[in-house]
Amino acid sequence: HNTWFMGVPKKKIVKLPNPKHGVKKIIAMKESELDEYMKRTQALLNLLKEGGLKISDIGVTNSTLLGTYTYGKSDIDIIIYGKKNYWKYLEIIRQARHPWLRWRTIDEWKKYFSTYNAGLFITEQEFIWHSQRKFGDGLFGETVFSVFGVENPDEISVKWGDEKYSPMGLVTVKGRVKDDYNGIVRPGYYEIENSRVIKGPQVKVERIVTYARDFILQVFKGEEIVAAGILEKVTPINSGKEYYRIVIGYFDSYTNRRGEEYIKADR
């Protein structure tokens, strides 16, 4: 990859709480055992279960899992395991009706954006327009919830060491989204067609990859896309053809601020 990745040595890990076990525990809690935060968490999990998701495909993380939450301040953090299941979650939550469920207003999104410091090179208006389409962050009983999608092991499209990546500098590209199925996880990607580089080396870009949660579900199949990031030539180690991709959100991009990186619909 020619870049740094963060990790924790296994010998330093004392305990690894299981997100799925956390869900089972919360679902099984009796009403007398629930505080205000857990009432909302349990009700939200039941909403997803009743919508058609299996409990075995759902996890909780961060303070929701560790029990270190503070009611009124802490988010409810949920994990959906499996790409197909996350797309199913989106169908469920878009149609869901519950007295506790609501989405941020325009003013709330503006307030959120004004305090957000991820170095996004998109405007407030662009940020809000994209965010309102994602349904990954909402409010449940006025408690913020966030839902993260992760791959199951058999869904990983490219395993570590299967490809070599050669950076070729920062570029900006436009194209049409051919497939958005993998744009819901990290690293996720959008397959594009009719690509054209408007700034940088003139090559055919086939994928736009994101390591940043800000840009998952950013653009959907059939939409025009514009992205800026690091151009990479991809060389398969064993078999397959070379191709070019753009990567947004490698971890070092948050520390050295190397330049513009973004993904957005080209409206």
Side-chain angles (χ1 to χ4, degrees):
H1 281 267
N2 290 286
T3 189
W4 289 96
F5 284 85
M6 295 183 289
V8 179
K10 288 184 178 180
K11 64 182 179 180
K12 296 288 186 180
I13 299 173
V14 176
K15 183 180 180 182
L16 188 63
N18 190 310
K20 294 185 178 182
H21 291 172
V23 169
K24 290 180 180 179
K25 181 180 178 180
I26 293 169
I27 290 292
M29 292 176 73
K30 299 177 182 178
E31 187 174 353
S32 60
E33 299 174 312
L34 300 172
D35 56 24
E36 292 302 316
Y37 176 90
M38 276 301 163
K39 282 181 184 178
R40 285 149 178 76
T41 303
Q42 188 187 74
L44 180 54
L45 292 171
N46 280 326
L47 182 66
L48 300 181
K49 177 184 175 184
E50 292 161 6
L53 283 175
K54 296 179 181 178
I55 289 299
S56 58
D57 292 323
I58 307 174
V60 289
T61 188
N62 298 330
S63 63
T64 313
L65 174 61
L66 300 176
T68 56
Y69 55 83
T70 300
Y71 177 60
K73 294 184 178 181
S74 299
D75 297 356
I76 299 171
D77 292 314
I78 295 175
I79 300 171
I80 305 296
Y81 291 90
K83 297 175 187 176
K84 184 177 180 180
N85 291 324
Y86 195 89
W87 283 109
K88 188 173 184 178
Y89 154 77
L90 289 174
E91 293 179 12
I92 294 169
I93 207 67
R94 284 169 179 158
Q95 300 173 18
R97 297 294 180 270
H98 192 284
W100 280 351
L101 176 65
R102 76 173 183 88
W103 306 100
R104 284 190 176 103
T105 64
I106 294 293
D107 286 340
E108 286 173 329
W109 276 120
K110 286 182 177 179
K111 183 178 179 181
Y112 181 82
F113 182 81
S114 68
T115 59
Y116 200 55
N117 189 30
L120 303 181
F121 287 90
I122 58 178
T123 66
E124 177 189 80
Q125 184 180 19
E126 289 172 333
F127 176 79
I128 293 172
W129 184 84
H130 285 90
S131 297
Q132 287 184 312
R133 310 193 308 162
K134 298 183 181 184
F135 297 95
D137 299 280
L139 292 100
F140 199 78
E142 296 309 299
T143 296
V144 174
F145 71 87
S146 298
V147 183
F148 306 87
V150 298
E151 295 167 311
N152 284 320
D154 61 346
E155 294 181 308
I156 297 174
S157 55
V158 180
K159 294 183 179 179
W160 187 268
D162 281 357
E163 295 178 340
K164 178 184 177 182
Y165 307 101
S166 304
M168 300 176 62
L170 291 172
V171 299
T172 303
V173 68
K174 290 185 176 182
R176 180 182 291 271
V177 178
K178 180 180 179 181
D179 193 335
D180 62 359
Y181 183 74
N182 296 286
I184 57 173
V185 295
R186 292 181 292 167
Y189 65 89
Y190 306 91
E191 293 186 28
I192 65 171
E193 57 188 0
N194 302 327
S195 70
R196 53 199 183 280
V197 175
I198 58 177
K199 182 180 178 181
Q202 296 301 303
V203 297
K204 180 183 177 182
V205 175
E206 296 184 19
R207 286 187 181 182
I208 297 174
V209 179
T210 178
Y211 278 82
R213 184 171 186 259
D214 308 289
F215 300 122
I216 67 169
L217 284 170
Q218 190 79 338
V219 188
F220 297 97
K221 184 177 179 179
E223 294 183 337
E224 297 295 318
I225 189 173
V226 57
I230 295 179
L231 175 66
E232 293 182 336
K233 182 172 73 172
V234 182
T235 306
I237 300 301
N238 296 314
S239 61
K241 65 180 183 67
E242 290 186 341
Y243 66 95
Y244 294 91
R245 70 179 195 172
I246 289 181
V247 181
I248 291 88
Y250 272 142
F251 301 119
D252 67 302
S253 67
Y254 294 98
T255 57
N256 63 20
R257 304 300 186 192
R258 57 173 157 258
E260 289 193 9
E261 289 194 6
Y262 60 80
I263 300 172
K264 59 185 179 182
D266 188 19
R267 299 188 288 156

